[in-house]
């Protein structure tokens, strides 16, 4: 079999990245498995198993997979980079009254910046991950496409990729659905075939982000007001709320109230009825276009304002590093700090971070 080149596979110990390594090995690549040590947490569950990100169990699972497929396995520490670019970002965004998406920062900075640089320094041509998305270079330039499994598609979290990164990136699982990936793992005898998917923020294994934040800075109490500025309650920290939230407001009202916005300058939470969550426009900052070039003028796209939302028709108007999105139909709970990602059909055109309307 012709050797297609060396590839460093980011292996979390889960089934997706394990199958990514297995597929690439079978296709003739010289696979090197790498588990990134990102976060230290000694907590365990009731059965005594490690919990959270980069656990001993995860490292062992990745090592066993590499042993089975005949690939070397290494653990690389990126803890300082992860703390600076993911955890500190996560904390600072909540302190600003925004709702961050830490997986976006992790992909952008850790996997597709620092890991790629480490691969390049070791003379490794490609980096691969277990993301459910596809790459296509048939038109002369790399294009990022949705994964074929609509329930698992992860193209939303990859909008920060640059053209030079896509030329050295492999996404081998994006052409399969989840059940096929588990079948491949079983057929290959991989011990992670039935391992559950992680449903948590990797560095907050109990999923209690409020407690995580409270350990790192003291909350500042403030007011909860309606859209007219009338006091309707108090809060114990603006970081405990997000746009669209209904439960846990501590307000007694005959009609349901939702968080409409967070006013960091006044340390206020603004609440109101559900219809107050509808917006037709948004402004995005830090916009990246995967082709390397912004469209010339207003462009019709489909845009997703959160990971699990459906893409909605909109007109994208580039404004330097920013972009304005005007939706055909109003969208619910457009949330500052989250990403908005632009599509044309299955292709990801780009994306940015929501600033407001």
């Amino acid at each position: 079999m012709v050797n297609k080149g060396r590839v460093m596979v980011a292996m979390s110990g889960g089934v997706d990245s394990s199958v990514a390594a297995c597929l690439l090995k079978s296709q003739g690549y010289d696979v090197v498995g790498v588990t990134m040590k990102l976060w230290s947490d000694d907590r365990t569950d009731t059965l005594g198993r490690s919990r959270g990100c980069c656990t001993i169990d995860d490292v062992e699972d990745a090592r066993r997979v590499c042993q089975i497929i005949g690939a070397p396995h290494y653990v690389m520490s990126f803890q300082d980079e992860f703390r600076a670019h993911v955890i500190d970002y996560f904390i600072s965004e909540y302190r600003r009254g925004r709702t961050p998406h830490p997986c976006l920062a992790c992909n952008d900075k850790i996997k597709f910046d620092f890991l790629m640089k480490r691969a390049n320094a070791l003379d490794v041509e490609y980096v691969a991950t277990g993301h459910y998305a596809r790459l296509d270079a048939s038109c002369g330039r790399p294009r990022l496409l949705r994964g074929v499994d609509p329930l698992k598609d992860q193209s939303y979290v990859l909008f920060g990729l640059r053209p030079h990164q896509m030329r050295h990136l492999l996404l081998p699982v994006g052409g399969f659905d989840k059940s096929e990936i588990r079948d491949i793992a079983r057929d290959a005898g991989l011990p992670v075939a039935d391992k559950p998917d992680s449903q948590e923020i990797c560095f907050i294994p109990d999923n209690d982000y409020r407690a995580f934040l409270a350990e790192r800075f003291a909350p500042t109490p403030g007011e909860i007001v309606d859209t007219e500025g009338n006091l309707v309650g108090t809060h114990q920290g603006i970081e405990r709320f997000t746009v669209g939230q209904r439960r846990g407001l501590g307000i007694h009202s005959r009609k349901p109230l939702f968080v409409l916005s967070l006013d960091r300058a006044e340390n206020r939470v603004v609440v109101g009825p559900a219809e107050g969550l509808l917006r037709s426009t948004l402004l995005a900052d830090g916009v990246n276009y995967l082709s390397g070039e912004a469209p010339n003028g207003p462009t019709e796209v489909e845009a997703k304002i959160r990971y699990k939302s459906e893409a909605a028709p909109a007109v994208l108007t580039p404004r330097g590093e920013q972009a304005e999105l005007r939706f055909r139909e109003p969208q619910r709970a457009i949330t500052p700090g989250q990403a908005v990602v632009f599509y044309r059909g299955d292709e990801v055109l780009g994306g940015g971070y929501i600033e407001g309307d």
Side-chain angles (χ1 to χ4, degrees), residues 18 76 170 184 199 206-207 218 264 279 296 345:
S18 296
M76 292 185 179
L170 300 174
I184 292 171
Q199 301 295 323
D206 53 10
N207 225 23
R264 175 75 274 181
R279 298 285 188 276
N296 292 319

Side-chain angles (χ1 to χ4, degrees), residues 93-303:
E93 285 289 272
Y94 269 113
R95 296 195 75 168
R96 293 174 60 196
R98 293 159 60 89
T99 304
H101 196 312
C103 292
L104 294 170
C106 185
N107 286 321
D108 189 31
K109 293 295 184 181
I110 309 302
K111 294 187 178 74
F112 304 128
D113 186 356
F114 296 116
L115 184 61
M116 278 193 164
K117 288 177 180 176
R118 190 78 61 91
N120 184 61
L122 295 173
D123 202 27
V124 176
E125 186 175 358
Y126 300 103
V127 165
T129 71
H131 285 101
Y132 284 83
R134 295 172 292 154
L135 288 167
D136 172 64
S138 60
C139 67
R141 66 167 180 85
R143 299 187 306 146
L144 179 67
L145 308 177
R146 300 175 194 261
V148 298
D149 185 343
L151 297 178
K152 295 298 294 183
D153 170 48
Q154 293 173 302
S155 59
Y156 172 90
V157 300
L158 303 179
F159 79 84
L161 285 167
R162 273 60 173 180
H164 73 277
Q165 294 172 329
M166 290 191 287
R167 286 191 287 269
H168 295 277
L169 176 64
L170 300 174
L171 299 172
V173 308
F176 301 88
D177 63 33
K178 186 70 179 196
S179 62
E180 291 175 315
I181 291 299
R182 292 198 182 277
D183 287 342
I184 292 171
R186 293 188 191 97
D187 292 343
L190 304 185
V192 295
D194 297 307
K195 189 173 182 177
D197 292 338
S198 174
Q199 301 295 323
E200 304 165 328
I201 298 173
C202 68
F203 55 91
I204 308 180
D206 53 10
N207 225 23
D208 188 351
Y209 82 91
R210 294 180 178 90
F212 178 86
L213 295 174
E215 292 173 358
R216 285 156 179 83
F217 64 88
T220 303
E223 298 178 340
I224 302 176
V225 300
D226 63 19
T227 54
E228 302 298 322
N230 299 310
L231 181 67
V232 296
T234 59
H235 66 77
Q236 295 303 308
I238 201 170
E239 66 278 355
R240 301 175 65 86
F241 301 88
T242 189
V243 172
Q245 181 178 334
R246 176 184 175 186
R247 299 184 182 277
L249 303 184
I251 301 172
H252 297 289
S253 173
R254 287 178 294 178
K255 294 184 178 180
L257 294 176
F258 299 80
V259 175
L260 303 185
S261 64
L262 301 173
D263 184 347
R264 175 75 274 181
E266 299 295 333
N267 195 33
R268 283 180 165 183
V269 177
V270 181
V271 299
E275 55 266 27
L277 291 169
L278 298 176
R279 298 285 188 276
S280 295
T281 62
L282 68 81
L283 182 68
D285 198 9
V287 175
N288 176 61
Y289 299 99
L290 277 75
S291 68
E293 297 181 357
N296 292 319
T299 302
E300 291 190 0
V301 299
E302 300 89 45

Side-chain angles (χ1 to χ4, degrees), residues 327-339:
F327 291 91
R328 188 178 300 170
E329 300 289 339
Q331 301 297 297
R332 186 181 186 277
I334 294 175
T335 306
Q338 292 285 287

